[in-house]
Amino acid sequence: MHIDIQQASVSRIKEIPDGDLGFGRIFSDHMFSMDWSGDTWIEPRIHPYGPIEIIPSALALHYGQSVFEGLKAYRGPTDDRIRLFRPHSNAQRLKASCERLCIPCVSPDIFLEAIRELVSIDCAWVPHGPDCSLYIRPLLFGSEGTLAVRAASTYRFLIITAPVQEYFNRQGQGIYLKAEHRFTRASPGGTGGAKTAGNYAATLQPMSDSAGAGFDQILWLDGVEHRYVEEAGQMNIFFHLGDTIVTPDLSGTILPGITRDTALTILREWGYKIEERRISMDEVITASKTGNLREAFGAGTAAVVVPIDRIHYLGQDLQLPQAGNHSLCQQLYQAITELQFGVTQDNHGWSVLVD
Ligand code: COI
């Protein structure tokens, strides 16, 4: 693929604040764009980050025909090299999301080439620091202007990047979840397993209701009985029960997280018994009462691996055991981030060098 490159005349990199990157507030100098027209992707280009023109009748704006991805580039603390973590898995997940939303797919080769080129042009934006990285957000949406409810005939594929800290910047402290029993995020046969814009919009009202009450995130329950744990907003969820790690299975209503898969692979290698199955809040509460619940944590690209401190369910707070420095969550966090930053040997072929 030939990518047309238009360099920014002045870099904005000096605008990066010292110490407080937050998540998704600052965007690097360049972005990637490409259009789908006449049954093919055309005009791949890298150009200065900035507003884009979009027709007000664009299908994505009205009917949500839009999918996205999230991955990161990491700067190695010892070798200063830049690595992507499991970008092929993001390419595969994007393909699955595209199929669900009737969007033409971007081939994994083009996806990877576009990301590598963009990150290498903006390599100075990949931050230094143990909990910082360059978040990469590919986005694909129906750009055709029409009010007919159907798949668009034209699409735009964009990639933007942002230097970030971890999503929950809690310095190892656990998060407080509210198990949501009124609203649901997804139901069987819906789009819950796709990374599509509408899934996130549907979470905003329950999230804003609960933010005032001090909750960090919603813990979504199943859409039929509101009893079984699904996922926690930006992350998949894991319970350490006795000698087993239990996580909701990929039944189509939860996002097939890449960090989820990474965590499960590592936990299996460490000898843990893994159960991917339905787990009800009742089971979690019983396990807590009998002392069988050892810890719970969430995992996602933006969040990495975070301990869960408390879960609010039907008016009661369930206090989880204090995880501490030697918790499984902490060990997993360390193992995953050391792989991502190239500190430990990658025996899985997960890292892709950018330079
Ligand atoms: C990610 O972890 O990459 C996500 O997409 C979560 C995001 C909505 C912040």
Side-chain angles (χ1 to χ4, degrees):
M1 163 174 72
H2 170 76
I3 305 177
D4 200 49
I5 295 172
Q6 184 202 342
Q7 288 273 357
S9 47
V10 183
S11 172
R12 291 178 287 99
I13 199 157
K14 291 204 174 65
E15 291 169 17
I16 298 186
D18 260 355
D20 180 23
L21 290 173
F23 184 88
R25 293 203 302 253
I26 313 148
F27 296 92
S28 59
D29 284 330
H30 298 90
M31 60 189 280
F32 175 90
S33 303
M34 179 166 83
D35 292 289
W36 174 267
S37 179
D39 282 350
T40 185
W41 287 109
I42 57 165
E43 296 173 15
R45 53 206 184 271
I46 288 175
H47 53 99
Y49 173 84
I52 57 166
E53 202 164 80
I54 182 164
I55 196 106
S57 50
L59 223 135
L61 296 180
H62 298 264
Y63 306 131
Q65 199 194 13
S66 170
V67 293
F68 68 96
E69 266 307 320
L71 66 158
K72 286 175 171 170
Y74 305 85
R75 186 181 290 283
T78 44
D79 61 6
D80 208 37
R81 299 186 82 181
I82 295 168
R83 292 170 176 83
L84 305 170
F85 191 67
R86 305 194 64 178
H88 298 96
S89 303
N90 293 90
Q92 287 308 326
R93 190 171 63 183
L94 181 68
K95 185 166 176 281
S97 300
C98 284
E99 276 162 16
R100 182 64 183 83
L101 275 283
C102 287
I103 295 178
C105 193
V106 173
S107 79
D109 287 351
I110 292 183
F111 178 85
L112 191 58
E113 194 181 337
I115 290 174
R116 286 178 86 157
E117 193 67 37
L118 181 63
V119 172
S120 83
I121 286 179
D122 275 341
C123 60
W125 287 80
V126 183
H128 294 87
D131 60 352
C132 301
S133 55
L134 188 74
Y135 186 75
I136 303 165
R137 169 56 63 85
L139 166 71
L140 214 172
F141 60 90
S143 56
E144 183 194 358
T146 174
L147 296 185
V149 182
R150 58 162 169 76
S153 60
T154 58
Y155 293 84
R156 175 69 61 88
F157 178 59
L158 304 176
I159 308 173
I160 58 175
T161 67
V164 295
Q165 280 167 296
E166 289 163 9
Y167 197 83
F168 298 101
N169 192 14
R170 314 253 344 214
Q171 265 90 45
Q173 273 193 318
I175 58 169
Y176 184 21
L177 297 179
K178 181 189 174 198
E180 175 60 61
H181 62 94
R182 301 161 304 157
F183 297 102
T184 47
R185 175 187 170 276
S187 52
T191 57
K195 209 159 171 66
T196 179
N199 286 345
Y200 294 79
T203 66
L204 298 180
Q205 185 191 353
M207 268 168 56
S208 68
D209 287 357
S210 58
F215 304 115
D216 294 297
Q217 277 282 306
I218 302 280
L219 176 60
W220 296 105
L221 304 181
D222 73 281
V224 179
E225 296 174 76
H226 288 167
R227 286 178 52 206
Y228 295 94
V229 173
E230 296 249 295
E231 64 174 67
Q234 279 74 3
M235 320 173 284
N236 296 111
I237 186 156
F238 301 77
F239 296 95
H240 186 180
L241 303 180
D243 63 351
T244 304
I245 310 299
V246 182
T247 191
D249 54 319
L250 299 178
S251 58
T253 54
I254 68 170
L255 193 79
I258 293 159
T259 315
R260 174 189 183 277
D261 184 71
T262 304
L264 292 180
T265 305
I266 293 174
L267 289 165
R268 281 195 181 97
E269 287 169 3
W270 286 350
Y272 284 93
K273 216 169 104 199
I274 307 290
E275 290 179 8
E276 295 180 65
R277 62 164 171 85
R278 299 187 98 189
I279 175 163
S280 67
M281 275 307 296
D282 290 342
E283 180 180 346
V284 174
I285 292 165
T286 306
S288 166
K289 285 189 183 142
T290 58
N292 201 34
L293 175 58
R294 299 172 66 174
E295 62 186 287
F297 48 89
T301 301
V304 194
V305 186
V306 278
I308 295 163
D309 182 43
R310 269 180 303 160
I311 301 178
H312 188 82
Y313 179 57
L314 297 177
Q316 307 257 331
D317 262 359
L318 177 71
Q319 178 68 53
L320 279 95
Q322 293 301 302
N325 280 347
H326 302 293
S327 65
L328 186 56
C329 171
Q330 184 53 35
Q331 290 171 44
L332 206 49
Y333 174 89
Q334 194 169 335
I336 293 178
T337 51
E338 284 180 353
L339 278 168
Q340 292 171 330
F341 283 88
V343 173
T344 45
Q345 171 87 28
D346 169 24
N347 298 321
H348 301 89
W350 283 338
S351 275
V352 172
L353 281 165
V354 167
D355 44 354

